[in-house]
Amino acid sequence: MDYHLVFEVGERIPEIAFGVAALYALVVSS
Amino acid sequence: MIGLFSFDDLPRVWPLVLGVPLVLGVLEMAVDKAPADAPFLAIPGIVGIVEYWRSRNPDLADPKLPPGGIASMFGAFALVFVALNGVGHFGAVDLSQRLQAGAVDELEGRVTDVYEVGGGKNECWSLGDRRFCYSDWVSTPGFNRTHSLGGPIGPGAQVRLAVVGDTIVRVEVAAER
């Protein structure tokens, strides 16, 4: 049977960087 | 720190306070392929447009509110939202390493016993003797895209999964014939 990939956990890793950037901005601004 | 030590300066830089989370939020949404997050970013976006419009028309300014005050407040909330959403995926690093190392359970079969609460709130289904539940509204490194918000797993779908405990780390769906 042919499968196609729709999700892999590694694709979430860049989101951590955006979250950390937002956290940093929050600490700096608050 | 600006807000703690010089609060009056914060509303003056409202385009920055509002713009940073909007840009980061759109990037998160693009990576996560999560259009359901758009309303959460649309609200501060609209607030930014209104604030800009008010700044261009001094007659519309509310004397009780400092210019940029509302936009700064929404910007701060948006920052919290984007930060929690991103940092909540921290476990993805370890899970990705386990997936690469092959330290996962592989399951294959047809999805049965689908239970869904609309709007992405909750979705559960069974694959063989295993049952999986997740929600779009919980920040998790594992798979959590519900069918009602465009997720790929519906009743009867033939799937191949890689799981660590109850967390789904890879989803493959059989091509429709």
Side-chain angles (χ1 to χ4, degrees), chain A residues 2-4 9 12 15 27-28, chain B residues 1 89 108 140 142 169 173 175:
Chain A
D2 292 334
Y3 285 94
H4 64 273
V9 70
R12 288 257 157 101
E15 289 181 61
V27 170
V28 168
Chain B
M1 296 303 163
H89 294 157
E108 187 173 355
T140 166
V169 295
V173 178

Side-chain angles (χ1 to χ4, degrees), chain A residues 1-23 25-30, chain B residues 1-4 10 24 31-33 79 83 86 89-90 99 108 140-144 158 169-175:
Chain A
M1 191 163 293
D2 292 334
Y3 285 94
H4 64 273
L5 183 69
V6 293
F7 172 80
E8 195 170 275
V9 70
E11 67 194 47
R12 288 257 157 101
I13 292 174
E15 289 181 61
I16 302 168
F18 303 141
V20 170
L23 198 62
L26 196 63
V27 170
V28 168
S29 68
S30 60
Chain B
M1 296 303 163
I2 299 164
L4 284 179
L10 204 56
L24 291 172
V31 168
D32 200 17
K33 301 182 202 88
L79 272 175
H89 294 157
F90 206 74
L99 180 61
E108 187 173 355
T140 166
F143 176 80
N144 70 334
Q158 175 73 26
V169 295
R170 189 181 60 211
V171 179
E172 294 168 290
V173 178

Side-chain angles (χ1 to χ4, degrees), chain B residues 79 107 113 130:
Chain B
L79 272 175
L107 309 171
D113 301 325
R130 299 285 300 269

Side-chain angles (χ1 to χ4, degrees), chain B residues 82-97:
Chain B
V82 172
L84 290 178
N85 193 34
V87 174
H89 294 157
F90 206 74
V93 176
D94 178 53
L95 290 170
S96 183
Q97 286 171 346

Side-chain angles (χ1 to χ4, degrees), chain B:
Chain B
M1 296 303 163
I2 299 164
L4 284 179
F5 295 105
S6 181
F7 187 76
D8 290 345
D9 289 339
L10 204 56
R12 274 189 223 130
V13 291
W14 72 264
L16 192 64
V17 177
L18 200 63
V20 168
L22 281 177
V23 169
L24 291 172
V26 167
L27 289 171
E28 266 186 7
M29 195 173 72
V31 168
D32 200 17
K33 301 182 202 88
D37 289 353
F40 292 101
L41 297 172
I43 294 166
I46 291 166
V47 169
I49 292 166
V50 171
E51 192 72 63
Y52 176 74
W53 187 51
R54 278 181 50 191
S55 69
R56 304 276 293 179
N57 299 279
D59 296 344
L60 298 171
D62 186 336
K64 293 182 207 139
L65 293 169
I70 300 258
S72 302
M73 192 178 72
F74 273 83
F77 277 117
L79 272 175
V80 171
F81 174 77
V82 172
L84 290 178
N85 193 34
V87 174
H89 294 157
F90 206 74
V93 176
D94 178 53
L95 290 170
S96 183
Q97 286 171 346
R98 291 184 68 161
L99 180 61
Q100 299 304 322
V104 295
D105 296 329
E106 303 246 8
L107 309 171
E108 187 173 355
R110 210 162 273 285
V111 169
T112 57
D113 301 325
V114 176
Y115 168 79
E116 186 182 352
V117 179
K121 284 179 191 157
N122 195 20
E123 180 174 276
C124 296
W125 41 262
S126 297
L127 187 66
D129 59 352
R130 299 285 300 269
R131 187 146 180 89
F132 298 96
C133 293
Y134 46 80
S135 168
D136 269 285
W137 304 117
V138 175
S139 183
T140 166
F143 176 80
N144 70 334
R145 177 60 27 80
T146 60
H147 194 56
S148 65
L149 292 182
I153 299 178
Q158 175 73 26
V159 296
R160 188 161 63 191
L161 307 177
V163 301
V164 176
D166 289 331
T167 305
I168 302 169
V169 295
R170 189 181 60 211
V171 179
E172 294 168 290
V173 178
E176 296 284 336
R177 288 175 189 275

